[in-house]
C-alpha cells in the first residue's frame, strides 16, 4: 500500500488540502462524538413521547432503537458525509477528504480506496470469525463439550455464522466489485462515489453492534434469527437486528451503485458483448442485493417490532404466525447465496481464461446463466422449509424450481471445464485457487441435490450434512474465489508481487485442510448429528476428532497467507502493469492505477478473452507509457 | 510465447486526445451534465423499485397474518380525509416541480409550502388515528395496521424533512430551469410515498372478505 499511496499522492487533484492521518483520526473521533450526541437525543426524544403517552421514559430496547436511529446518521455525518456531501444540501461548498494515507481511514470517494477498505475489513473479519470456528471445533472434540457452556457455545456459533455470512455478502463484491468493476469497464470511478463511501462507512457500526451484543449475553439464534426464540431472548438479539438491518442498507446502496456503474460508466467501445465476465456477474448479483435485501430488513424489522412495540407478527399466543418469518427471511436469504457465489463465478472464469490462455468457453451462455440464476433465485426459498409444517401443496413446486437451478449453475461449471480444456494451464496461485474452487463447487452442488429432494431432506434437515454442504458452496465456492481474486489482483492493487512459494503453501494447506474437514463431516450428518448443538452422542466422537484436527490445519493455512500479504507489501518484487499478460482493461493501466484510473480514457476495440484467436482485435491498448510500467 | 494481442492494437488503435497525467478527471467532474442527470434519474427509480420490495413484503405480511379483512372500528372518515389530502399534496408537489422548470421560483415556493402543509396534516392525521384506535397493537390486524402505517408515516416525515430542505434552497434561488434535479428528486420521492399509500389504504381500510 505504501506504493499506492506514493503513487496517488502525486496525482491527487488540487483542491484537497494537505492532510495527515490526524485528520482521519479527528474525523473518526467527530463521528463517534456525534453518534453519542445522536444516541442521547434519540433516547431523550423517545422519553418525551413515552412520558406524554403515559409510560416510563426509559424502556431498554425501545430506547436503544431510538438512540441508534439517530446515532447512525451522527456517525456518518461526523465521519465525513457532512463535509463531502451534506454541506451541499444546505447550500454550502463541500470539503474534500485527505489524499495521503489518511484517506484509507476517511470518507474517501475513490473506488480504489473503498475497495481496499472493504478488502482489509473483510479479510480481518474472516480471520476473526475463523477463530470462532476453531473454538467451535475445540468444543466438539468431546461429546459433552470440551470448553464452553451451552449458552457460550450458542453465542460463539451465532457469532461465527453471522460474521461469516457478512464476509460472504461483502467480502468479494465489496472489495473487488468496488476496486475492479470501474477498472474493467474503463471508468474513472463508480457512478455514485459518495454513496459508495457511505456504503462502506455503514459497516463499522455493524461490527460495533455485533461486538456490543457479546457483553449483553450474545444472541443464540445463529444468523437466521428465527422467532419465537428471537422475539423472547436477551438484548443481544436486538443488537444483531440493528446490525443486520444496517448491513442490509449498505448492501442495497452498493447494489444500486454497481448497476448504474455497469450500465452508464462503460468506456467507449465497451459494448455488451465485450464486457468481462466478472463485471457481468456483479451486475446480476447487484439486482439481488438491490431488491431482495429489503425482505431481510422487513423480517428483522418485524422481529424488532415484536420485541419493542408489542406487535404480534410472530407471537402465536396473540394470533401471530412464526412461519411468516421463515417465508420473508428465506425470500432474501436464498437469493443471498447468489450474492455470494455469482461474483465468485465471475472471478473464477476470469482467471481460468487468462491463465490458461484460452477464450472463455460459451461466454454468452455464461452471461445468460447468470440471469437464469437471478430469475430462479426468487422462487425457490421454501426449500429451506420442507420440515416447517407449511402447506404441503408448496413442497413439490419448490422441489422442482430448486432442481431447475442446477441448469444454469451446471452451464457455468461446464463453461469452466470448456475453458481449461486442452489449455496451457499456468499453475500460479490464483489458478490453483480457481481450479480448487471448481472442484469444491462440484461437491457442493452434488450434495445440494440431497437437500433439494424431499425424501432425503426430511432425514438430513438440521444435521451436519447441511453444515458440510453449505460450507462447500460458501467456503469452497466463494471463499476460494476470494483468495483467488486476492492473489490475482494483489499486484494490481499494491504494485507488488506476492510470494509464490508462500502462496502455494497457503493453497495446498487450505485446499487439503478444507476437504478433509468437510468430507468427513457429511458422515455424522447422515448419522443424525444435529447442527447448532453444543453436545452430541458419544459414538460420533472419533469422527468429530478427525474433523476438528483437520479444521485446525485449515485454520493454520491462513498463517502463511497473512505473512505473505504483509511482507510482500513492503518487500515484494515490484509488479509490472500486466504481470499475467491479460487482455482485460484493469491490466492496461499502471499497478496501482493512478487516481483517475487511466491517464487516457480507454477505447475498447475487441473481446476480452480472444487469446490465440487469429485476427482478433485487441480488447484495449495499454494506457500507460513505457516509463510508467512494464 | 504468449501474446495479449495488444502489440497489434498499438498500431491499429486511432490516436486519442490525452489529458495531462494527473489532471483531476474524476467521476462527475468530467461527465456531461445531461448524462449525470440521466444516471441520477435511473438510480432514483431503482431505489423506488427496491423500496417497493419492502412495502410489498409488509403488504404480503398483512394478508398472511390478518387475512383480507379490516377492523370494524376504523375511522373511515378520517382515513378517507387524510388519503385525499395526501393525493392532493402530490398535485401541489407536481406544480412545484413544473414551476421551477419554468423558472418561476415564487410559484415553486408557494406550491412547496402547500405540499409541506398537506404532508404534515397527513402525518398528524395518522397520529390521531393511532391515538384513538379501538384495536390494540397486540392483535393481528393491529400489528399490521400500526407497522404499515408507522413505516409509511416515517417515509412521509422524511419526505417532509426533504421538502423543507428544498424549500429553503428554492427560496434562496439556488435552482432554475437548467438546474432543478434536487427539486425533481424530492418531488418524485413524494409521489412514490403517495403511490405506496394508494396500495396500503385499500389493504388496511377497504378490503374485506
Ligand atoms: Cu436456499
Amino acid at each position: 500500500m505504501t506504493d499506492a499511496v506514493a503513487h496517488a499522492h502525486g496525482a491527487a487533484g488540487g483542491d484537497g488540502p494537505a492532510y495527515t492521518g490526524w485528520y482521519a483520526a479527528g474525523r473518526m473521533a467527530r463521528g463517534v462524538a456525534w453518534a453519542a450526541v445522536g444516541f442521547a437525543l434519540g433516547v431523550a426524544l423517545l422519553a418525551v413521547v413515552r412520558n406524554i403517552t403515559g409510560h416510563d421514559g426509559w424502556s431498554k430496547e425501545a430506547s436503544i432503537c431510538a438512540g441508534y436511529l439517530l446515532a447512525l446518521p451522527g456517525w456518518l455525518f461526523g465521519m465525513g458525509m457532512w463535509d463531502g456531501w451534506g454541506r451541499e444540501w444546505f447550500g454550502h461548498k463541500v470539503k474534500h477528504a485527505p489524499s495521503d494515507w489518511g484517506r484509507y481511514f476517511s470518507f474517501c470517494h475513490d473506488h480504489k480506496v473503498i475497495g481496499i477498505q472493504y478488502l482489509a475489513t473483510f479479510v480481518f473479519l474472516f480471520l476473526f470469525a475463523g477463530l470462532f470456528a476453531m473454538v467451535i471445533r475445540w468444543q466438539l472434540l468431546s461429546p459433552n463439550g470440551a470448553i464452553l457452556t451451552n449458552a457460550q457455545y450458542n453465542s460463539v456459533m451465532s457469532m461465527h455464522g453471522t460474521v461469516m455470512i457478512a464476509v460472504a455478502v461483502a467480502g468479494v463484491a465489496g472489495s473487488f466489485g468496488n476496486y475492479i468493476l470501474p477498472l474493467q469497464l474503463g471508468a474513472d470511478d463508480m457512478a455514485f462515489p459518495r454513496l459508495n463511501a457511505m456504503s462502506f462507512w455503514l459497516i463499522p457500526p455493524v461490527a460495533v453492534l455485533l461486538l456490543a451484543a457479546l457483553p449483553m449475553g450474545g444472541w443464540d439464534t445463529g444468523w437466521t434469527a428465527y422467532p419465537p426464540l428471537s422475539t423472547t431472548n436477551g438484548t443481544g438479539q436486538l443488537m444483531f437486528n440493528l446490525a443486520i438491518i444496517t448491513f442490509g442498507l449498505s448492501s442495497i446502496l452498493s447494489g444500486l451503485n454497481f448497476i448504474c456503474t455497469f450500465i452508464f460508466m462503460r468506456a467507449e467501445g465497451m459494448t455488451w458483448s465485450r464486457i468481462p465476465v466478472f463485471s457481468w456477474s456483479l451486475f446480476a448479483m447487484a439486482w439481488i442485493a438491490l431488491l431482495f435485501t429489503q425482505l431481510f430488513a422487513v423480517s428483522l424489522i418485524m422481529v424488532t417490532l415484536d420485541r419493542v412495540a408489542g406487535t404480534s407478527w410472530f407471537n402465536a399466543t396473540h394470533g401471530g404466525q412464526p412461519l411468516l418469518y421463515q417465508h420473508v427471511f428465506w425470500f432474501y436469504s436464498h437469493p443471498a447465496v447468489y450474492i455470494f457465489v455469482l461474483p465468485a463465478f465471475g472471478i473464477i472464469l476470469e482467471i481460468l481464461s487468462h491463465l490458461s490462455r484460452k477464450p472463455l468457453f460459451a461466454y454468452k451462455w455464461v452471461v445468460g446463466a447468470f440471469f437464469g440464476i437471478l430469475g430462479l433465485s426468487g422462487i425457490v426459498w421454501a426449500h429451506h422449509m420442507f420440515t416447517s409444517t407449511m402447506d404441503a401443496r408448496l413442497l413439490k413446486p419448490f422441489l422442482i424450481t430448486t432442481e431447475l437451478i442446477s441448469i444454469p449453475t451446471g452451464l457455468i461449471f461446464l463453461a469452466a471445464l470448456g475453458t481449461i480444456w486442452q489449455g496451457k494451464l499456468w499453475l500460479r496461485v490464483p489458478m490453483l485457487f480457481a481450479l480448487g474452487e471448481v472442484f469444491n463447487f462440484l461437491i457442493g452442488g452434488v450434495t445440494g441435490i440431497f437437500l433439494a429432494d424431499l425424501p432425503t431432506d426430511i432425514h438430513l434437515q438440521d444435521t451436519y450434512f447441511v453444515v458440510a454442504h453449505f460450507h462447500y458452496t460458501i467456503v469452497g465456492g466463494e471463499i476460494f474465489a476470494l483468495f483467488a481474486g486476492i492473489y490475482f489482483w494483489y499486484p494490481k492493487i499494491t504494485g507488488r508481487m506476492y510470494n509464490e512459494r508462500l502462496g502455494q503453501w497457503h493453497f495446498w494447506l487450505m485446499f487439503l485442510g478444507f476437504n478433509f474437514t468437510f468430507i468427513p463431516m457429511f458422515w455424522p450428518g447422515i448419522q443424525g448429528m444435529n447442527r447448532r448443538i453444543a453436545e452430541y452422542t458419544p459414538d460420533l466422537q472419533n469422527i468429530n476428532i478427525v474433523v476438528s484436527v483437520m479444521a485446525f490445519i485449515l485454520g493454520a493455512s491462513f498463517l502463511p497467507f497473512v505473512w505473505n500479504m504483509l511482507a510482500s507489501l513492503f518487500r515484494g518484487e515490484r509488479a509490472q502493469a500486466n504481470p499475467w499478460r491479460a487482455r482485460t482493461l484493469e491490466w492496461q493501466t499502471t499497478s496501482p492505477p493512478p487516481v483517475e484510473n487511466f491517464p487516457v480514457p480507454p477505447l475498447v476495440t475487441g473481446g476480452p478473452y480472444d487469446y490465440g484467436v487469429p485476427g482478433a482485435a485487441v480488447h484495449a491498448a495499454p494506457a500507460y507509457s513505457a516509463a510508467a510500467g512494464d | 510465447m504468449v501474446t495479449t494481442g495488444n502489440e497489434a492494437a498499438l498500431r491499429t488503435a486511432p490516436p486519442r486526445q490525452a489529458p495531462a497525467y494527473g489532471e483531476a478527471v474524476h467521476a462527475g467532474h468530467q461527465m456531461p451534465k445531461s448524462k449525470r442527470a440521466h444516471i441520477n434519474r435511473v438510480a432514483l427509480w431503482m431505489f423506488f423499485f427496491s423500496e417497493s420490495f419492502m412495502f410489498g413484503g409488509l403488504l404480503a405480511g398483512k394478508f398472511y397474518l390478518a387475512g383480507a379483512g379490516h377492523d370494524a372500528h376504523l375511522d373511515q372518515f378520517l382515513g378517507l380525509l387524510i388519503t385525499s389530502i395526501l393525493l392532493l399534496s402530490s398535485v401541489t408537489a407536481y406544480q412545484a416541480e413544473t414551476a421551477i422548470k419554468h423558472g418561476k421560483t415564487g410559484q415553486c415556493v408557494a406550491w412547496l409550502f402547500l405540499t409541506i402543509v398537506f404532508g404534515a396534516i397527513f402525518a398528524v392525521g395518522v397520529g390521531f388515528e393511532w391515538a384513538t384506535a379501538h384495536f390494540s397493537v397486540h392483535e393481528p390486524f393491529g400489528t399490521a395496521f400500526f407497522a404499515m402505517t408507522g413505516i409509511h408515516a416515517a417515509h412521509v416525515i422524511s419526505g417532509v424533512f426533504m421538502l423543507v430542505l428544498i424549500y429553503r434552497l428554492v427560496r434562496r434561488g439556488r435552482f432554475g430551469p437548467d438546474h432543478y434535479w434536487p427539486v425533481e428528486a424530492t418531488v418524485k420521492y413524494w409521489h412514490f410515498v403517495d403511490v405506496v399509500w394508494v396500495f396500503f389504504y385499500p389493504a388496511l381500510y377497504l378490503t374485506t372478505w
Side-chain angles (χ1 to χ4, degrees):
Chain A
M1 238 165 284
T2 46
D3 237 32
V5 171
H7 201 97
H9 201 39
D15 44 359
Y19 290 105
T20 65
W22 288 112
Y23 169 90
R27 281 297 175 271
M28 260 189 222
R30 202 174 73 170
V32 172
W34 278 108
V37 171
F39 190 84
L41 198 65
V43 171
L45 280 175
L46 183 74
V48 170
V49 173
R50 286 178 64 89
N51 270 318
I52 291 173
T53 54
H55 297 86
D56 256 358
W58 167 262
S59 146
K60 190 175 175 191
E61 297 209 346
S63 298
I64 290 176
C65 283
Y68 181 69
L69 224 51
L70 293 186
L72 189 64
W75 155 254
L76 286 175
F77 281 111
M79 181 62 215
M81 215 171 120
W82 171 252
D83 293 329
W85 197 353
R87 291 173 61 89
E88 214 174 79
W89 306 344
F90 293 84
H92 306 295
K93 269 212 149 60
V94 296
K95 293 179 184 170
H96 286 278
S99 51
D100 63 0
W101 62 268
R103 70 211 160 109
Y104 291 103
F105 302 90
S106 304
F107 200 87
C108 179
H109 305 161
D110 184 344
H111 73 99
K112 297 185 289 301
V113 173
I114 294 169
I116 291 170
Q117 286 171 335
Y118 266 103
L119 189 58
T121 308
F122 282 96
V123 167
F124 175 80
L125 288 176
F126 172 78
L127 298 171
F128 172 80
L131 284 179
F132 279 73
M134 297 296 101
V135 176
I136 292 173
R137 285 322 310 180
W138 196 279
Q139 165 85 354
L140 296 178
L141 282 170
S142 155
N144 302 318
I147 39 175
L148 303 169
T149 66
N150 290 358
Q152 286 170 334
Y153 179 84
N154 289 344
S155 284
V156 168
M157 176 277 295
S158 297
M159 181 64 107
H160 168 72
T162 305
V163 177
M164 282 304 193
I165 290 288
V167 171
V169 168
V172 169
S175 323
F176 299 128
N178 278 313
Y179 199 102
I180 300 298
L181 179 69
L183 285 169
Q184 279 197 336
L185 297 176
D188 52 5
D189 207 322
M190 300 288 275
F192 299 100
R194 297 188 291 197
L195 197 66
N196 204 15
M198 181 179 159
S199 301
F200 174 74
W201 287 104
L202 281 168
I203 308 280
V206 177
V208 169
L209 282 170
L210 290 182
L211 285 178
L214 286 182
M216 294 180 175
W219 68 102
D220 43 10
T221 56
W223 77 283
T224 51
Y226 273 16
L229 181 55
S230 63
T231 51
T232 48
N233 56 359
T235 304
Q237 186 69 46
L238 181 74
M239 300 288 120
F240 168 91
N241 293 355
L242 295 176
I244 300 303
I245 291 170
T246 310
F247 188 59
L249 178 61
S250 163
S251 273
I252 291 167
L253 298 178
S254 293
L256 182 74
N257 218 339
F258 286 154
I259 294 172
C260 286
T261 305
F262 183 89
I263 297 177
F264 294 112
M265 303 296 285
R266 285 171 289 137
E268 202 184 330
M270 182 65 86
T271 56
W272 298 106
S273 59
R274 287 175 184 164
I275 298 171
V277 71
F278 177 55
S279 296
W280 272 115
S281 70
L282 285 167
F283 181 60
M285 176 286 294
W287 287 101
I288 298 176
L290 176 74
L291 302 177
F292 292 91
T293 311
Q294 293 279 6
L295 276 299
F296 197 5
V298 169
S299 64
L300 289 179
I301 286 171
M302 286 171 169
V303 168
T304 308
L305 287 176
D306 272 13
R307 295 180 70 95
V308 303
T311 56
S312 62
W313 290 104
F314 311 125
N315 184 349
T317 52
H318 289 290
Q321 303 262 18
L323 211 52
L324 171 63
Y325 177 87
Q326 295 188 28
H327 280 297
V328 180
F329 172 82
W330 287 113
F331 191 72
Y332 160 77
S333 295
H334 182 82
V337 305
Y338 304 116
I339 294 183
F340 312 161
V341 98
L342 279 174
F345 287 151
I347 292 179
I348 294 310
L349 293 172
E350 197 79 44
I351 292 173
L352 289 180
S353 170
H354 296 315
L355 272 70
S356 52
R357 322 303 307 175
K358 276 192 63 204
L360 178 61
F361 186 74
Y363 166 88
K364 287 185 181 170
W365 286 90
V366 167
V367 173
F370 288 160
F371 289 94
I373 289 177
L374 173 63
L376 285 171
S377 72
I379 50 168
V380 299
W381 76 90
H383 62 216
H384 295 270
M385 302 165 61
F386 283 157
T387 60
S388 72
T389 73
M390 69 177 178
D391 193 324
R393 284 168 299 182
L394 293 176
L395 297 175
K396 280 174 199 160
F398 277 102
L399 187 163
I400 292 165
T401 53
T402 303
E403 297 279 12
L404 282 179
I405 288 221
S406 58
I407 296 172
T409 43
L411 249 164
I412 291 167
F413 184 79
L414 291 177
L417 293 189
T419 303
I420 54 176
W421 189 258
Q422 294 190 335
K424 198 172 176 190
L425 305 196
W426 193 5
L427 290 175
R428 300 287 296 269
V429 180
M431 188 62 163
L432 291 176
F433 272 99
L435 295 170
E437 197 263 14
V438 173
F439 174 81
N440 296 334
F441 201 79
L442 178 65
I443 297 183
V446 168
T447 54
I449 296 172
F450 298 95
L451 299 175
D453 283 344
L454 272 167
T456 38
D457 179 69
I458 288 168
H459 175 70
L460 296 170
Q461 159 80 15
D462 235 352
T463 68
Y464 267 81
F465 189 93
V466 179
V467 177
H469 160 71
F470 73 67
H471 279 83
Y472 260 103
T473 53
I474 300 178
V475 183
E478 190 201 2
I479 300 299
F480 271 74
L482 172 69
F483 285 108
I486 289 175
Y487 284 105
F488 185 61
W489 284 306
Y490 188 86
K492 179 54 61 184
I493 292 172
T494 61
R496 304 264 182 175
M497 274 317 270
Y498 62 87
N499 181 305
E500 183 72 21
R501 180 191 285 267
L502 278 173
Q504 301 251 358
W505 269 102
H506 172 206
F507 170 74
W508 285 111
L509 276 176
M510 183 173 164
F511 181 72
L512 296 175
F514 171 76
N515 277 290
F516 285 116
T517 302
F518 288 101
I519 284 184
M521 196 186 275
F522 285 109
W523 181 248
I526 294 168
Q527 297 300 307
M529 178 175 165
N530 269 313
R531 61 187 286 209
R532 292 187 170 188
I533 306 285
E535 297 165 347
Y536 55 91
T537 51
D539 56 313
L540 292 172
Q541 183 170 19
N542 287 341
I543 187 83
N544 269 291
I545 290 175
V546 171
V547 171
S548 287
V549 169
M550 291 300 157
F552 298 144
I553 294 176
L554 174 59
S557 73
F558 300 107
L559 297 175
F561 164 74
V562 172
W563 174 250
N564 195 355
M565 291 298 112
L566 294 179
S568 303
L569 209 53
F570 301 101
R571 280 190 261 146
E573 181 195 330
R574 295 235 173 237
Q576 299 168 339
N578 191 357
W580 310 116
R581 278 159 284 167
R583 287 169 59 98
T584 44
L585 259 172
E586 77 268 31
W587 301 106
Q588 313 311 326
T589 183
T590 49
S591 299
V595 174
E596 71 277 20
N597 288 350
F598 299 93
V600 183
L603 175 71
V604 181
T605 50
Y609 305 112
D610 294 340
Y611 293 105
V613 176
V618 70
H619 183 55
Y624 48 85
S625 63
D630 240 351
Chain B
M1 173 186 70
V2 282
T3 107
T4 59
N6 285 341
E7 298 79 356
L10 281 175
R11 275 178 269 119
T12 53
R16 316 201 64 215
Q17 192 65 47
Y21 183 79
E23 196 179 291
V25 280
H26 224 59
H29 295 244
Q30 180 208 32
M31 196 186 290
K33 233 177 163 178
S34 60
K35 188 180 174 189
R36 181 79 262 171
H38 181 58
I39 299 179
N40 287 346
R41 211 163 279 136
V42 172
L44 190 65
W45 279 102
M46 287 202 313
F47 175 71
F48 296 156
F49 193 16
S50 170
E51 285 261 290
S52 62
F53 268 61
M54 181 189 74
F55 288 116
L58 286 168
L59 204 59
K62 186 262 167 191
F63 288 111
Y64 189 100
L65 191 69
H70 61 267
D71 193 285
H73 300 295
L74 272 173
D75 189 340
Q76 289 291 349
F77 175 73
L78 182 63
L80 187 62
L81 184 71
I82 59 173
T83 304
S84 313
I85 287 173
L86 193 65
L87 289 180
L88 203 58
S89 77
S90 243
V91 178
T92 56
Y94 172 76
Q95 293 290 354
E97 187 189 341
T98 310
I100 200 71
K101 277 184 187 167
H102 289 94
K104 295 173 182 159
T105 303
Q107 281 185 23
C108 178
V109 168
W111 287 118
L112 280 178
F113 182 77
L114 267 180
T115 313
I116 292 167
V117 170
F118 287 157
I121 293 176
F122 177 84
V124 171
V126 171
F128 190 74
E129 175 78 293
W130 277 33
T132 57
H134 287 285
F135 44 86
S136 121
V137 70
H138 305 304
E139 58 193 78
F141 179 78
T143 293
F145 181 84
F146 286 108
M148 287 164 75
T149 54
I151 289 170
H152 179 260
H155 280 75
V156 170
I157 290 166
S158 68
V160 168
F161 180 71
M162 277 153 49
L163 283 167
V164 169
L165 283 184
I166 290 299
Y167 174 81
R168 279 166 41 102
L169 292 179
V170 172
R171 273 187 57 159
R172 285 201 229 155
R174 296 285 165 129
F175 305 119
D178 55 339
H179 173 53
Y180 55 85
W181 164 247
V183 182
E184 183 190 336
T186 309
V187 168
K188 288 223 165 92
Y189 178 73
W190 191 253
H191 291 324
F192 172 70
V193 172
D194 236 25
V195 168
V196 170
W197 187 250
V198 167
F199 285 90
F200 275 21
Y201 171 66
L204 291 173
Y205 282 83
L206 305 180
T207 53
T208 180
W209 62 78

